[in-house]
Amino acid sequence: MKKLISIFLMGTTFFAINAQNKDDNPLLKKWTGPYGGVPAFNEYRVSDFKPAIEFGIQEKLNEVDAIANNQKPPTFDNTIAALERSGETMERVSTVYGIYRSNLSSPEFSTIDREMSPKFSEFSDKINQNKKLFTRVETLYNSKESKKLTSEQQRLIWLYYTNLVRQGAKLNDKDKEKVAGVNKELASLFTLFSQNLLAEEQNQYVALKTEADFDGLPNEVKNAAIAEAKQRKIDALGCIANTRSSIEPFLTFSTRRDLREKAFDIFVKRGDNGNPNDNNVTLVSILELRTQKAKLLGFPTFAHWSLSNKMAKDPQKTLDLMMSVWEPAVKKVHEDVAEMQKIVDAEGGKFKIQAWDYRYYAEKVRKAKYDLDQNEVKPYLQLENLREGMFWVAGELFNLSFKQITDMPVYHPDVRVWEVSNKLTGKVVGLWYFDPYARAGKRSGAWMNAYRNQQKLDSDVLTIVSNNCNFIKGTANEPILISWEDASTLFHEFGHALHGLCSNVTYPSLAGTSVARDYVEFPSQLLEHWLGTPEVLNKFALHYKTGQPLPQALVDRIERAANFSEGFATVETISSSLIDMKLHLATTKIDPHKFEKETLDALHMPSEIVMRHRIPQFGHIFSGDGYSAGYYSYLWADVINADAWEAFTEGKGPYDKEVAKRLYDTVFSVGNTIDQEKAYENFRGRSPKSDALMRARNFPIVDKKK
């Protein structure tokens, strides 16, 4: 959990607990043990969270008040550095709280989460609206003496100042109170949205009742469905859980069109079923409150406020970029659908391709056109081998080595831990926690967390990062086989982890992934490229039975088919990005169904595809503010990623040591110590060019301006 997150995004009311309770609460104890201390997951109880949060909040507020009321003139050390040192207890507590929220949610925890969410918001606003604190920060920001500080220190002052202003530090007392009220309501609604979505995913499934219901499914998908039914204790041979990792393989391989439709239906209607977990009223309230907040803060729309601290700055720039890619992507989809429809017609199917047919017939086209069957590739993609492949890539690019350690407390038996060190010097740089499997209480998707940021403020503090995924376990004692798309996701999230592990800065608020939202996806998307390199495929893509690497002929077919699904993937993602931006440019109340339909109709959305995240299930933008009016970030970062990859291909290839060192020096190690546009220019020697993305996706280059 980043320092800035605790200062600017969190919040709560203020309670104190006595010293005896503090000593009894393991969440309040400093992390002990090796590596500068690690979370004591074996000691924590859900019942400890509320008193720990209340104590941590009050301690943090006391520390901030002491900084704000300091009678001495503000200096970098007594104000900014003091803020960086403050709130250590709250940092630890909020980190573990976030881990439970994402990975171990339960009815008991959900109750506490609903109670604490608005209090976190109050806490945040108490700091953001502290007049004396802002005066000290503003004085430093405008001070000529500050120009004599190091560039990293100047950057940190700028960051504190701009974040405080952005959160309303310059507003009058009346408007500050209004903003605080809005933030408190939003915090509760974010939690409600998230819990509704989790309930839909956990409580809905497609039962497979007969052997015929398994028709077409690869063995690993079939085994996973059988294991899922046993775990849920339902009266069926198997079941398909309502999560992407279960639904998408079923839609790809099941020959049962009726069951594909059922699976598709429960997935795209999450949060949109008119039941107690329906999210439509909640998301409309969120949008209305965001509009109020933006106007109070002096912005025409929430999108303008959201982009005020992003690289893009202007919503129109993001719309222009998205539309420049949208049109060729839609054209590609129409071409692909025409090929699929030919197969349907040839088979005597008397139906038009629907959204629940797309993946199934796309797979048939892939096989017919490129002689490539995903089931032919999957036996070579063992999760554990690919993890070793990621480690090897990290060693080749950044000289990192990984050693598993088994004596660390973890929050679930699925979690494993690795010590990460520099293989040239032997110096330990951090820990990597890996939680790969889906389970009840764990949110869907894949992500990276920083349990502790790297810093050198008072001592050399090691970072602790994690990667969390939702792969299906399947049958015990058998290797976990994953799809090529899942393997790409694995490398993607590991890219985020490397961004944290490579961090080499002084101040925790500037460390690792603490960069602009539309830049943070760049390092992760870039790392995906190394999955398909011959070095990784030959060493780590080994058949789970024979141990033989992917045959070169199969590698060649994979390369030829690399852009096959780009139209689908682009339309699926950018439709969500466009909806997100247009939602947050709107200033009047919307009807979610009407807005979604009319917007997509105007875009000529292909009927055979749905948004990757429909509005009532769009957790990226309604479970918090992180990606709100910011889902475009994946495309924005992909422009940078495609351009950066060409730095390697124009050089000596993917493992060019000189380019890799420059990437480390200018991107992976510097965090937010430098403006991200300048950081990229330092790497590439110029700004990124969007035509690299068009080349990467095999689209016509229609816009050469980013």
Side-chain angles (χ1 to χ4, degrees):
M1 188 71 72
K2 302 177 184 69
K3 181 74 68 172
L4 280 178
I5 288 178
S6 69
I7 293 177
F8 296 113
L9 298 181
M10 300 192 68
T12 273
T13 48
F14 336 105
F15 304 87
I17 60 177
N18 61 44
Q20 182 180 359
N21 285 343
K22 178 185 177 183
D23 291 340
D24 292 341
N25 193 324
L27 283 166
L28 294 173
K29 297 177 182 177
K30 289 187 176 182
W31 295 352
T32 60
Y35 307 103
V38 296
F41 290 117
N42 55 322
E43 299 179 10
Y44 303 143
R45 302 177 299 269
V46 172
S47 58
D48 293 328
F49 278 113
K50 182 180 176 180
I53 291 168
E54 291 169 347
F55 181 91
I57 284 170
Q58 187 59 57
E59 181 183 74
K60 170 74 174 182
L61 288 171
N62 291 343
E63 292 169 344
V64 170
D65 282 343
I67 295 167
N69 292 311
N70 191 336
Q71 297 302 305
K72 295 181 179 179
T75 65
F76 179 87
D77 192 58
N78 70 19
T79 303
I80 303 300
L83 284 170
E84 289 290 278
R85 294 184 176 98
S86 68
E88 288 188 0
T89 300
M90 193 59 199
E91 284 289 315
R92 294 192 302 271
V93 174
S94 59
T95 292
V96 178
Y97 185 78
I99 292 167
Y100 270 68
R101 198 176 198 231
S102 296
N103 300 281
L104 298 170
S105 187
S106 64
E108 182 187 6
F109 181 85
S110 295
T111 300
I112 295 171
D113 198 20
R114 287 191 294 272
E115 181 181 357
M116 291 294 104
S117 292
K119 294 179 179 181
F120 281 135
S121 178
E122 292 176 19
F123 166 55
S124 175
D125 286 325
K126 278 282 184 177
I127 297 173
N128 291 333
Q129 298 179 5
N130 187 312
K131 290 182 180 179
K132 291 181 179 179
L133 178 67
F134 178 67
T135 297
R136 294 181 72 84
V137 173
E138 185 177 39
T139 299
L140 289 170
Y141 178 75
N142 293 321
S143 170
K144 292 182 179 178
E145 290 300 308
S146 294
K147 303 300 184 287
K148 299 177 183 178
L149 297 171
T150 68
S151 59
E152 186 175 346
Q153 290 170 331
Q154 291 179 50
R155 179 73 174 175
L156 189 57
I157 293 173
W158 169 86
L159 189 63
Y160 271 96
Y161 174 78
T162 54
N163 274 322
L164 286 168
V165 171
R166 190 168 176 271
Q167 295 295 337
K170 287 189 172 184
L171 296 179
N172 60 47
D173 289 345
K174 185 177 180 180
D175 285 342
K176 282 182 179 178
E177 187 176 342
K178 290 179 180 178
V179 169
V182 168
N183 287 339
K184 184 176 179 180
E185 287 187 67
L186 282 171
S188 293
L189 292 171
F190 293 156
T191 300
L192 178 60
F193 188 97
S194 299
Q195 292 185 356
N196 284 344
L197 185 56
L198 182 61
E200 295 275 87
E201 292 173 345
Q202 291 191 130
N203 298 333
Q204 297 175 3
Y205 55 85
V206 173
L208 306 179
K209 298 180 179 180
T210 69
E211 286 295 334
D213 292 348
F214 291 93
D215 285 355
L217 299 184
N219 283 335
E220 66 274 7
V221 177
K222 180 177 180 178
N223 291 339
I226 292 170
E228 184 73 22
K230 289 179 180 177
Q231 182 179 332
R232 290 176 180 266
K233 299 179 181 178
I234 64 172
D235 184 20
L237 296 179
C239 83
I240 303 302
N242 195 17
T243 62
R244 191 176 299 277
S245 55
S246 291
I247 294 289
E248 288 188 354
F250 187 77
L251 293 177
T252 301
F253 298 113
S254 174
T255 61
R256 290 288 301 276
R257 189 168 189 253
D258 58 330
L259 294 181
R260 292 204 308 269
E261 184 176 2
K262 282 185 180 180
F264 175 84
D265 193 61
I266 65 168
F267 191 67
V268 301
K269 289 184 178 177
R270 289 169 298 150
D272 193 25
N273 289 301
N275 59 18
N277 297 318
D278 193 282
N279 270 328
N280 285 288
V281 172
T282 301
L283 71 89
V284 169
S285 297
I286 289 172
L287 291 169
E288 290 182 309
L289 288 166
R290 282 174 170 165
T291 297
Q292 291 178 33
K293 178 177 177 177
K295 290 180 178 178
L296 285 168
L297 293 170
F299 292 87
T301 71
F302 184 83
H304 287 84
W305 177 82
S306 179
L307 267 70
S308 63
N309 68 344
K310 309 292 195 304
M311 288 181 72
K313 299 291 189 290
D314 178 15
Q316 190 59 47
K317 287 177 69 176
T318 73
L319 292 171
D320 291 344
L321 173 63
M322 287 187 277
M323 290 307 299
S324 72
V325 182
W326 175 258
E327 293 176 10
V330 168
K331 181 180 179 182
K332 181 69 166 59
V333 166
H334 289 320
E335 293 170 355
D336 291 345
V337 168
E339 292 192 68
M340 296 178 207
Q341 192 65 50
K342 289 178 183 177
I343 293 178
V344 172
D345 297 343
E347 292 177 345
K350 299 184 182 300
F351 59 86
K352 180 180 178 293
I353 292 282
Q354 300 296 324
W356 52 89
D357 300 313
Y358 197 106
R359 285 182 170 84
Y360 180 75
Y361 284 97
E363 193 60 24
K364 288 198 170 194
V365 172
R366 189 200 311 267
K367 191 171 182 179
K369 193 170 183 178
Y370 299 101
D371 190 25
L372 183 63
D373 183 345
Q374 282 196 52
N375 288 324
E376 190 179 358
V377 178
K378 204 167 186 179
Y380 294 89
L381 302 179
Q382 297 179 64
L383 174 61
E384 295 304 317
N385 280 3
L386 292 174
R387 175 188 51 71
E388 288 294 327
M390 297 190 314
F391 291 172
W392 182 82
V393 169
E396 292 298 299
L397 296 180
F398 304 129
N399 296 313
L400 296 179
S401 65
F402 292 74
K403 181 181 73 174
Q404 186 171 0
I405 47 181
T406 57
D407 56 351
M408 288 289 173
V410 292
Y411 56 84
H412 190 276
D414 287 346
V415 182
R416 289 166 286 160
V417 187
W418 278 261
E419 173 191 287
V420 188
S421 58
N422 184 298
K423 68 179 183 180
L424 300 181
T425 65
K427 180 182 178 182
V428 176
V429 300
L431 296 175
W432 183 70
Y433 285 61
F434 188 40
D435 182 4
Y437 304 123
R439 61 176 171 272
K442 187 178 184 181
R443 71 177 175 90
S444 60
W447 62 94
M448 169 266 189
N449 275 350
Y451 296 177
R452 182 174 64 212
N453 277 346
Q454 173 271 330
Q455 60 158 300
K456 295 183 286 188
L457 178 54
D458 295 314
S459 61
D460 201 351
V461 176
L462 301 179
T463 189
I464 303 175
V465 301
S466 78
N467 279 149
N468 304 64
C469 306
N470 271 277
F471 300 121
I472 305 300
K473 267 188 176 180
T475 305
N477 302 318
E478 287 192 5
I480 307 300
L481 303 179
I482 63 177
S483 68
W484 186 267
E485 183 178 353
D486 283 340
S488 295
T489 299
L490 188 69
F491 271 66
H492 175 102
E493 297 304 333
F494 190 61
H496 285 306
L498 291 180
H499 198 180
L501 289 165
C502 290
S503 180
N504 186 23
V505 307
T506 302
Y507 302 99
S509 291
L510 299 174
T513 59
S514 303
V515 296
R517 181 68 71 175
D518 47 9
Y519 188 79
V520 75
E521 296 296 337
F522 155 49
S524 56
Q525 290 177 190
L526 182 62
L527 201 79
E528 293 178 38
H529 290 282
W530 276 270
L531 168 63
T533 59
E535 292 85 348
V536 168
L537 296 180
N538 290 332
K539 287 183 174 69
F540 303 101
L542 306 178
H543 196 283
Y544 78 104
K545 288 184 177 178
T546 67
Q548 294 299 307
L550 269 169
Q552 186 58 47
L554 187 51
V555 173
D556 293 341
R557 280 183 274 154
I558 291 172
E559 290 178 352
R560 285 197 298 271
N563 290 312
F564 169 69
S565 61
E566 282 296 352
F568 172 87
T570 303
V571 166
E572 184 191 44
T573 302
I574 296 185
S575 57
S576 291
S577 304
L578 286 164
I579 286 282
D580 166 40
M581 189 58 66
K582 290 176 182 291
L583 278 171
H584 290 103
L585 284 168
T587 55
T588 57
K589 186 174 182 177
I590 63 110
D591 176 294
H593 295 104
K594 183 179 178 182
F595 187 94
E596 183 174 298
K597 183 180 187 307
E598 291 181 350
T599 303
L600 295 178
D601 285 348
L603 290 168
H604 305 293
M605 175 79 166
S607 62
E608 301 85 1
I609 299 179
V610 295
M611 299 160 60
R612 185 166 181 83
H613 308 283
R614 288 191 56 244
I615 296 176
Q617 64 212 215
F618 209 161
H620 280 76
I621 67 174
F622 291 122
S623 292
D625 278 339
Y627 278 93
S628 51
Y631 198 67
Y632 77 91
S633 298
Y634 288 96
L635 179 64
W636 187 274
D638 216 11
V639 169
I640 306 173
N641 148 50
D643 188 79
W645 178 244
E646 289 190 348
F648 283 91
T649 59
E650 291 166 2
K652 298 176 182 177
Y655 300 94
D656 187 319
K657 296 294 186 184
E658 182 180 336
V659 179
K661 184 179 186 305
R662 193 163 72 244
L663 183 67
Y664 173 87
D665 290 341
T666 59
V667 176
F668 275 75
S669 68
V670 299
N672 197 12
T673 60
I674 184 173
D675 178 82
Q676 276 84 67
E677 288 187 36
K678 179 61 178 174
Y680 188 78
E681 288 175 3
N682 289 344
F683 168 67
R684 196 70 166 102
R686 56 165 174 75
S687 298
K689 296 179 180 179
S690 62
D691 54 0
L693 177 67
M694 307 303 280
R695 283 192 292 272
R697 299 192 178 188
N698 200 26
F699 292 163
I701 298 174
V702 295
D703 179 14
K704 292 194 176 183
K705 292 183 179 179
K706 178 166 183 277

